[in-house]
Amino acid sequence: MQVPKATQEERDEKPKRDVVPEGEYLVFVGSVKAKSLPDGTEEWNVQLEVMDGPSKGRWLFDTLTWNKEWRWKQIQVLEALGFDLSKDQAILPDHLNSKPALVKVKHNKKGDKTYANVRGWEPAEAGEEEPF
C-alpha cells in the first residue's frame, strides 16, 4: 500500500468522539488480552463491541482481575457469557471471544474527562447469536 507523506496538521488532528451514553447495551466480546500484574495476579482486558442502537460499532472496555477480591465479578461476567460455573473448568481468554451479553454503562468523571464504565453484566436475551 502506498501511504502519502503525513503533514503536521494531520499529525495534530485528533478526532473527538463522545463517550457511549449511559444505558444498557447488547455487546459481543471482540477480544480478551491477558497480562500479569506485578504481584503475579492475572488480569484480562476485555474489549466489547456494541451491537445495536445509536452506539452500534463503538467499543467498551472492562477488566477481569483473577483474585479472590474480584470473584463476584468473575462470576457475573462468566455467567452472563453463558459459562456453567456449577463445576470446575479451565477457561482461557479466547473462550470469551464472540460471546454476547447485556452490559450496563455508567459514566465516571475524572477532571475534565468522562469515561463510559461497564458496571453490570447480564446474559443476552434468548435468540441473540454469536456474530462470528
Side-chain angles (χ1 to χ4, degrees), residues 22-59:
E22 291 186 326
E24 191 171 88
Y25 294 91
L26 172 64
V27 298
F28 288 96
V29 177
S31 69
V32 181
K33 294 191 171 120
K35 70 177 184 178
S36 289
L37 299 177
D39 68 0
T41 301
E42 189 165 346
E43 183 176 271
W44 292 1
N45 295 312
V46 183
Q47 184 178 16
L48 307 164
E49 183 176 354
V50 177
M51 298 305 294
D52 61 0
S55 294
K56 182 177 181 174
R58 300 284 303 276
W59 294 98

Side-chain angles (χ1 to χ4, degrees), residues 43-75:
E43 183 176 271
W44 292 1
N45 295 312
V46 183
Q47 184 178 16
L48 307 164
E49 183 176 354
V50 177
M51 298 305 294
D52 61 0
S55 294
K56 182 177 181 174
R58 300 284 303 276
W59 294 98
L60 297 166
F61 301 90
D62 204 0
T63 302
L64 282 176
T65 303
W66 294 96
N67 61 23
K68 189 173 182 176
E69 179 184 352
W70 290 97
R71 179 71 176 141
W72 64 271
K73 185 172 182 182
Q74 299 160 21
I75 293 168

Side-chain angles (χ1 to χ4, degrees), residues 1-127:
M1 166 165 288
Q2 182 68 28
V3 179
K5 175 182 166 184
T7 67
Q8 188 60 46
E9 184 177 280
E10 290 172 320
R11 283 185 180 89
D12 295 339
E13 187 176 300
K14 293 183 178 130
K16 183 177 185 316
R17 292 194 76 165
D18 294 329
V19 297
V20 173
E22 291 186 326
E24 191 171 88
Y25 294 91
L26 172 64
V27 298
F28 288 96
V29 177
S31 69
V32 181
K33 294 191 171 120
K35 70 177 184 178
S36 289
L37 299 177
D39 68 0
T41 301
E42 189 165 346
E43 183 176 271
W44 292 1
N45 295 312
V46 183
Q47 184 178 16
L48 307 164
E49 183 176 354
V50 177
M51 298 305 294
D52 61 0
S55 294
K56 182 177 181 174
R58 300 284 303 276
W59 294 98
L60 297 166
F61 301 90
D62 204 0
T63 302
L64 282 176
T65 303
W66 294 96
N67 61 23
K68 189 173 182 176
E69 179 184 352
W70 290 97
R71 179 71 176 141
W72 64 271
K73 185 172 182 182
Q74 299 160 21
I75 293 168
Q76 183 184 83
V77 170
L78 294 175
E79 287 184 341
L81 294 174
F83 290 94
D84 176 6
L85 299 182
S86 66
K87 60 185 184 243
D88 290 347
Q89 59 188 299
I91 299 175
L92 300 173
D94 287 349
H95 295 163
L96 279 61
N97 287 344
S98 300
K99 293 203 174 283
L102 289 173
V103 297
K104 292 180 181 150
V105 171
K106 292 285 191 184
H107 286 171
N108 180 33
K109 285 188 131 324
K110 287 187 179 177
D112 61 347
K113 294 192 178 203
T114 301
Y115 298 91
N117 294 343
V118 176
R119 291 290 185 224
W121 290 71
E122 295 178 10
E125 295 179 19

